[in-house]
Amino acid sequence: MLDVAFVSADLPRAGTLVLPLAEGAALSGLAAAADEATGGAIARALAAAEFKGAKGKTCVVLAPGAGLARVVAVGLGKVAEATPRHLEEAGGAVAAAVARDTEVAVAADGLDAAQAARLAAGAALRSYRFDKYRTKEKPEDKPRLTRLAVLARDPAAAAAQFAPLGKIADGVFLTRDLVSEPANVLNPAEFAERCRALSALGVDVEVMGPDALRELGFGALLGVAQGSANEPRMVVMRWNGGPDGARPVAFIGKGVTFDTGGISIKGAAGMEDMKWDMAGAGTVTGLMAALAGRGAKVNAVGLVGLVENMPSGTAQRPGDVVTSYSGQTIEVINTDAEGRLVLADVLWYCQKTFDPVFMVDLATLTGAIIIALGHEYSGMFSNNDELSARLAAAGVAVEEKVWRMPLGKAYDEQIKSPIADMKNVGGRPGGSITAAQFLQRFVNDKPWAHLDIAGMAWSSKDAACTPKGATGFGVRLLDRLVAEHYENAAGGQ
Ligand code: BES
Ligand code: MN
Ligand code: ZN
């Protein structure tokens, strides 16, 4: 991760100086000092570029004098609109603008400690890169920003504000790493090993293999797994930061490390994207790292169901009937609707074992949710208005938005089966909704929300705080949900 240091607000005499500027405001503090030291070169350049401080805009001034290699002005927009998220986005714009620089200082003397921390967090989030398999990239083509010095009015206060944000960014990066990793490397066993590493943060990690899952009776999950030479796992991660005995909040993730579709095989075009069909599980894992890393005062459990969906001589067939852990039977009409089969057993296990305050599951569950909502909102399905409202508000605050979709009896009827308790697909109409109806049959009336993140886990273009590729969507959203509503002296309620 980008090394962020908060230091006292002295004018640097070398390297790159970043000036965050509010819209329409005159240069002041360090910005004014830098302008004076360069004989007014900065103000002249900004005027010539008609830079006025509009949100997210940047203006680069080369070799302005006073020893500085570059000055990068970044617009904060109107001060009144400078929400924490806007400051993060400005930080993201800074990171993008100075990615090729080595020595960078940000003049944050005009910001308070919380604002300076947000700016730094945005820069850190944007500077993520998954380049472990790029062996031939020339050094001059690599980003060079490794350390960001934030020149702050009160460096200790800003550093204290940044500490939890840095831990959350660590969690986001873990999710992005997992989601980016190819499926020949990240199979269920390897994913479970990466979860085990969370024990260093104080997370209690339990890994169950095929024998334990058979013993429990996870017939739905095992049916998906049976076509693959890579054996399944379920991982239970527990963070006990709340009062002893307080009921936990629970997060459940779909972890299909590769989804070929199975016997109902997918087309070849774009199938490589199905390496990130474990993004729900990746988010749960990154979230647990974030909660533990920042020492969240909550009891939380994270459960991930890890399988590979392959066609083979041992794969399950369309028409097979499996018995889920709940005892309910399922006719598997389409082996490509595998995520709901995995989640069915993990959800049932979660509610039964932990009696959680709520369950939120995350899954790249349906292509249909991308048709409905594009890449702007995650679909949200829930049996609980309070939980839905809290998630929606958290989404707006952190810019990881969710849109509530309907559930209802008529949709549920689409998954009736003539031979079993239900079938695993309900036809094309409302495909994301019938998938959610299927899941609801395994939540046993616990407060629950299902986030279909198929459109959000991966991005084909850069965003303010998210380079293209794995986004880490959901970590900041759920961390925020917990921080706002479930972390208090009394613990969960
Ligand atoms: N993993 C896919 C859904 C998906 C599609 C995620 C595109 C990300 C991008 C899921 O397992 C799947 O195959 N769903 C089917 C369900 C259908 C068979 C009812 C789909 O969406 O086509
Ligand atoms: Mn599938
Ligand atoms: Zn899938």
Side-chain angles (χ1 to χ4, degrees):
M1 218 225 327
L2 181 66
D3 174 19
V4 177
F6 294 89
V7 299
S8 59
D10 306 316
L11 188 63
R13 293 293 181 162
T16 295
L17 177 64
V18 175
L19 304 176
L21 298 173
E23 192 161 344
L27 297 181
S28 64
L30 280 172
D35 189 46
E36 199 183 309
T38 58
I42 295 169
R44 280 197 301 278
L46 295 183
E50 295 184 36
F51 177 90
K52 298 196 173 68
K55 182 176 158 268
K57 286 263 184 303
T58 55
C59 176
V60 178
V61 188
L62 296 173
L68 295 167
R70 312 206 298 155
V71 163
V72 178
V74 56
L76 297 178
K78 299 210 169 59
V79 178
E81 290 166 6
T83 62
R85 182 59 192 166
H86 282 186
L87 284 151
E88 285 179 359
E89 286 173 359
V94 167
V98 302
R100 320 261 299 150
D101 299 14
T102 46
E103 208 181 321
V104 178
V106 182
D109 57 321
L111 305 177
D112 67 26
Q115 291 173 322
R118 287 284 170 182
L119 188 100
L125 285 167
R126 178 60 187 268
S127 58
Y128 174 82
R129 204 161 185 254
F130 186 80
D131 56 8
K132 65 194 279 200
Y133 299 116
R134 304 179 68 153
T135 67
K136 302 211 163 171
E137 198 174 36
K138 297 193 198 86
E140 63 268 29
D141 292 337
K142 282 193 194 291
R144 276 165 277 184
L145 181 67
T146 53
R147 184 174 182 275
L148 192 68
V150 180
L151 311 170
R153 277 204 301 256
D154 183 346
Q161 292 281 331
F162 179 77
L165 303 179
K167 298 298 181 185
I168 295 164
D170 286 340
V172 172
F173 285 14
L174 172 57
T175 302
R176 290 178 183 171
D177 283 347
L178 290 166
V179 170
S180 303
E181 201 66 80
N184 62 323
V185 174
L186 196 75
N187 55 35
E190 172 63 17
F191 196 125
E193 285 313 308
R194 307 244 179 140
C195 293
R196 251 192 237 283
L198 266 57
S199 58
L201 298 171
V203 176
D204 195 49
V205 183
E206 182 190 3
V207 178
M208 285 179 227
D211 294 340
L213 298 175
R214 251 189 304 275
E215 188 102 340
L216 282 165
F218 272 37
L221 182 151
L222 289 167
V224 178
Q226 76 187 35
S228 174
N230 291 310
E231 293 180 328
R233 299 284 188 274
M234 177 171 72
V235 182
V236 179
M237 293 166 272
R238 306 195 64 176
W239 166 249
N240 296 314
D244 278 350
R247 292 162 68 211
V249 295
F251 303 96
I252 297 96
K254 167 180 172 180
V256 177
T257 59
F258 197 80
D259 181 14
T260 64
I263 295 297
S264 313
I265 196 164
K266 292 179 180 295
M271 201 201 274
E272 66 278 7
D273 282 351
M274 288 299 104
K275 76 169 184 180
W276 49 262
D277 207 19
M278 36 51 68
T283 303
V284 168
T285 309
L287 172 67
M288 294 304 290
L291 293 175
R294 70 173 179 80
K297 291 187 170 44
V298 69
N299 293 340
V301 290
L303 294 91
V304 295
L306 304 168
V307 300
E308 185 178 53
N309 189 22
M310 297 292 266
S312 77
T314 63
Q316 73 178 341
R317 293 143 291 250
D320 283 4
V321 175
V322 297
T323 302
S324 67
Y325 177 54
S326 72
Q328 302 176 89
T329 57
I330 304 161
E331 182 187 14
V332 180
I333 297 291
N334 189 321
T335 65
D336 197 11
E338 83 298 340
R340 64 198 73 180
L341 295 169
V342 173
L343 289 173
D345 283 343
V346 181
L347 282 166
W348 190 263
Y349 179 87
C350 180
Q351 60 80 24
K352 183 176 159 161
T353 309
F354 298 110
D355 184 25
V357 175
F358 66 71
M359 300 196 285
V360 173
D361 79 74
L362 301 105
T364 48
L365 204 63
T366 65
I369 202 67
I370 309 177
I371 305 302
L373 298 174
H375 302 287
E376 306 303 323
Y377 288 83
S378 160
M380 171 170 67
F381 302 81
S382 179
N383 59 3
N384 188 284
D385 292 344
E386 183 183 59
L387 180 58
S388 300
R390 289 175 173 183
L391 277 163
V396 170
V398 305
E399 192 65 32
E400 290 188 341
K401 291 179 296 200
V402 302
W403 192 264
R404 192 174 183 184
M405 303 280 285
L407 288 166
K409 196 163 176 295
Y411 294 111
D412 195 65
E413 282 171 8
Q414 285 178 236
I415 57 170
K416 277 186 175 163
S417 162
I419 182 176
D421 297 336
M422 69 197 86
K423 55 184 178 179
N424 75 329
V425 292
R428 280 170 59 81
S432 304
I433 307 174
T434 51
Q437 290 295 159
F438 182 96
L439 298 180
Q440 191 173 9
R441 290 180 177 223
F442 299 89
V443 305
N444 211 6
D445 291 330
K446 277 266 170 315
W448 156 78
H450 156 58
L451 302 181
D452 191 337
I453 60 170
M456 305 307 293
W458 192 269
S459 175
S460 58
K461 55 180 200 295
D462 290 336
C465 298
T466 314
K468 68 179 178 205
T471 61
F473 180 95
V475 173
R476 292 165 48 258
L477 169 72
L478 297 174
D479 177 81
R480 172 83 181 199
L481 174 77
V482 169
E484 284 252 287
H485 300 289
Y486 301 94
E487 261 185 88
N488 53 45
Q493 15 130 15

